[in-house]
Amino acid sequence: MSNSDPGQQVPPEFPAWPKQSLRGHKLEGHRYTSREFMHLEWDHMWTRVWLLLGREDEMPAPGDWQQEEVGAESILMVRQSGGDIKAFYNVCQHRGQRLVSAARGHTNRFVCPYHSWAWTREGELDFVQDADDFPQGNPCGKLRLAELKCETFAGFIWVNMDPDCVPLREFLGPIWDEWEPYGLASWKRYVALSTTAPCNWKVVLDNFNESYHVNTVHRPRGAAVEKLRADSGIDTNYKTTRFDMADTGHSRMIMRGGYAGPAIDEEGIIGEPLASVLREWGLDPEDFRGRGEDTREALQQARRKLGPTMGYDYFDRLTDTQLTDAYHYTLFPNFAVSVWVDGFHFLRARPHPTDPEKCLFDNWWYAPDSPQLTEPVRTTSGVVDRKATVEHELFELGEKSMGLTIDQDLSVFPGQQRAMHSRGYSGSYLAGQESRTQRLHELVDDYIEGRRP
Ligand code: FES
Ligand SMILES: [Fe+2]
């Protein structure tokens, strides 16, 4: 049933994703520690999937470029004169020098730091010194940078090292339609924290593929599970959470949100941050004392009615549950995101070039940006001024906080990675609500064994 005014078009809720069957094998320690397994993943999986690497708004003008690393590769993304983006391996075709080392810049030509061969934005070689000294002929006009498949969606740049890959839209499956209404391409980044983590990338993704840890790892010290459920405004109970897995390996978890849930405290008082959220939308938390279940629908109605007048023009295109609930997605293989009604929490783990026991972990936050929106952005790493210029910070784990929630997640990773070497660990014993973790590993195996979906 819809909460809208009569006559208003409310987008229908998205259907369940198709059912997947799992093989259910144990997840053993070597998957996280073995170099051999790391190489199998690289050769058969990382080099054959769409990887989210860059951001379009960070390279608006022709000649702007951005460079990101994934495993052993560095990928150079370049805005072309016609507005499209090309992606190249960041490697000179003379003798293999990396062309750029910075994260981004602007150029007409990429001049190699070794012997100054110059490559155009389009990847053509157009200058070499001593051009007449090549017995096999002048390489200009003959050699090109090695290009890889590149598409854009949601304002992000996606690349695929497999020349025979399926189009990005097909790879993303149902995610495309569910994300499109938010207009994510125009959202701005408000948190950009990256760290090297002493664990395999799957330790990170395993965690973001299950909510079983939420009531334990994220519980305030000494607090009861019910307290967390009551105050967060999110019902973390697996029985009311919806779990889905797509054919192409991505997962979705929807937790009912925007309400005080099944367990508000004895006096029925609604805690923070939900109380503040209600106030922002013109609702008095006191009116809901003792009936925390009712805040969700009230919030949906308030957002649907007031959203467009408050600068959230896309609320019209969202379903009722998108207006309140926690939509967590994990995109195969290495990208996890929580899509909130006004925030996009970006979590990514990139494999280390040589060490299976390390990864590069990104914790970023995007939020809508429009002149009408002036309230600070509420993120899991703190409150950020909407006009702030956000610098990307890269640091070693523990040097700086990533915000309480992510610090809590990160706190368990090193211990788990070390224990993966133990002779006393014979592999996982998973709960039903950890099926998405199981599926991540089964998909990795499918790729390795040549059965990619
Ligand atoms: S390696 Fe690039 S010019 Fe020699
Ligand atoms: Fe967590």
Side-chain angles (χ1 to χ4, degrees):
M1 207 176 52
S2 133
N3 296 321
S4 63
D5 294 335
Q8 188 176 15
Q9 288 286 326
V10 176
E13 296 295 333
F14 294 102
W17 295 1
K19 255 208 138 17
Q20 308 296 334
S21 56
L22 294 168
R23 302 191 286 277
H25 62 65
K26 284 185 168 204
L27 311 180
E28 293 166 350
H30 76 93
R31 305 178 68 86
Y32 304 83
T33 58
S34 146
R35 267 168 214 279
E36 193 193 338
F37 196 78
M38 178 186 81
H39 290 305
L40 287 172
E41 282 181 344
W42 182 259
D43 291 341
H44 300 282
M45 193 271 289
W46 290 107
T47 51
R48 285 156 195 236
V49 287
W50 281 101
L51 296 167
L52 186 163
L53 277 195
R55 183 74 181 164
E56 280 199 88
D57 68 359
E58 292 178 19
M59 36 191 294
D64 288 351
W65 56 267
Q66 200 179 347
Q67 181 257 134
E68 280 205 293
E69 301 202 357
V70 54
E73 291 291 358
S74 157
I75 308 296
L76 181 55
M77 294 157 274
V78 192
R79 179 77 68 181
Q80 304 292 299
S81 311
D84 57 323
I85 292 168
K86 283 188 189 292
F88 304 104
Y89 293 94
N90 179 17
V91 55
C92 179
Q93 303 295 312
H94 175 222
R95 273 178 39 213
Q97 177 69 266
R98 280 203 169 169
L99 288 172
V100 301
S101 50
R104 65 179 52 85
H106 173 91
T107 192
N108 286 328
R109 298 192 311 174
F110 294 96
V111 178
C112 179
Y114 201 169
H115 312 90
S116 289
W117 282 24
W119 306 86
T120 66
R121 294 167 183 169
E122 294 77 30
E124 307 279 354
L125 179 64
D126 82 343
F127 170 83
V128 300
Q129 57 166 334
D130 303 336
D132 48 4
D133 186 34
F134 291 88
Q136 58 289 53
N138 182 349
C140 289
K142 195 158 139 193
L143 296 190
R144 281 185 56 79
L145 293 178
E147 191 173 344
L148 55 162
K149 293 269 186 185
C150 175
E151 291 194 39
T152 57
F153 173 63
F156 294 103
I157 301 162
W158 309 68
V159 304
N160 196 319
M161 296 181 226
D162 179 2
D164 300 319
C165 60
V166 297
L168 177 63
R169 185 170 188 148
E170 197 176 314
F171 177 77
L172 290 178
I175 285 166
W176 190 286
D177 288 335
E178 296 187 21
W179 286 15
E180 203 149 50
Y182 294 88
L184 294 164
S186 66
W187 289 26
K188 189 181 148 194
R189 190 165 66 172
Y190 287 98
V191 173
L193 302 171
S194 300
T195 188
T196 47
C199 62
N200 184 267
W201 69 275
K202 295 187 294 302
V203 166
V204 178
L205 266 296
D206 286 358
N207 177 73
F208 293 131
N209 264 305
E210 51 94 347
S211 54
Y212 194 43
H213 75 278
V214 171
N215 295 323
T216 49
V217 171
H218 299 302
R219 175 166 39 161
R221 201 187 293 270
V225 166
E226 283 66 29
K227 176 82 177 137
L228 173 79
R229 287 185 181 158
D231 287 357
S232 67
I234 305 292
D235 183 5
T236 57
N237 190 329
Y238 76 95
K239 289 185 178 160
T240 52
T241 299
R242 189 165 144 188
F243 302 101
D244 287 293
M245 297 183 279
D247 291 338
T248 42
H250 318 302
S251 300
R252 180 178 75 170
M253 175 180 79
I254 309 170
M255 285 174 167
R256 289 155 58 93
Y259 77 127
I264 54 174
D265 72 10
E266 279 138 41
E267 286 114 74
I269 293 173
I270 291 164
E272 291 296 341
L274 181 60
S276 295
V277 172
L278 292 171
R279 279 186 216 103
E280 268 170 41
W281 291 94
L283 301 166
D284 184 353
E286 266 303 300
D287 292 347
F288 296 91
R289 188 192 267 243
R291 41 184 205 104
E293 295 282 350
D294 297 343
T295 51
R296 180 169 176 253
E297 196 175 323
L299 203 48
Q300 288 172 357
Q301 286 173 357
R303 284 185 169 143
R304 186 155 310 285
K305 193 165 153 216
L306 302 176
T309 64
M310 287 171 68
Y312 297 101
D313 55 348
Y314 59 94
F315 279 16
D316 280 349
R317 302 192 296 267
L318 302 185
T319 67
D320 282 340
T321 63
Q322 282 179 315
L323 289 174
T324 48
D325 293 358
Y327 273 74
H328 300 287
Y329 295 88
T330 34
L331 273 56
F332 185 81
N334 67 327
F335 179 56
V337 53
S338 298
V339 187
W340 305 96
V341 67
D342 56 0
F344 183 87
H345 193 184
F346 173 116
L347 299 158
R348 180 178 62 172
R350 284 178 279 164
H352 187 273
T354 56
D355 189 346
E357 305 203 58
K358 287 187 186 148
C359 67
L360 185 59
F361 173 63
D362 302 301
N363 171 32
W364 299 348
W365 189 283
Y366 293 82
D369 180 32
S370 96
Q372 237 188 306
L373 295 171
T374 51
E375 290 286 313
V377 180
R378 200 183 288 126
T379 79
T380 53
S381 308
V383 174
V384 188
D385 186 273
R386 215 170 269 273
K387 295 278 158 279
T389 307
V390 177
E391 294 297 334
H392 183 206
E393 294 180 69
L394 175 62
F395 47 88
E396 292 299 315
L397 183 65
E399 277 179 6
K400 191 181 155 78
S401 172
M402 289 220 165
L404 178 63
T405 311
I406 298 301
D407 288 350
Q408 288 168 333
D409 285 317
L410 285 164
S411 72
V412 296
F413 296 163
Q416 190 186 13
Q417 179 67 36
R418 284 199 298 275
M420 287 296 155
H421 291 277
S422 174
R423 296 153 65 96
Y425 181 59
S426 59
S428 57
Y429 189 100
L430 300 182
Q433 59 194 292
E434 293 170 294
S435 296
R436 291 170 303 139
T437 299
Q438 178 80 32
R439 172 120 164 113
L440 167 70
H441 286 258
E442 295 191 359
L443 257 291
V444 169
D445 288 350
D446 283 348
Y447 272 85
I448 289 174
E449 288 156 22
R451 293 189 305 264
R452 73 174 131 161

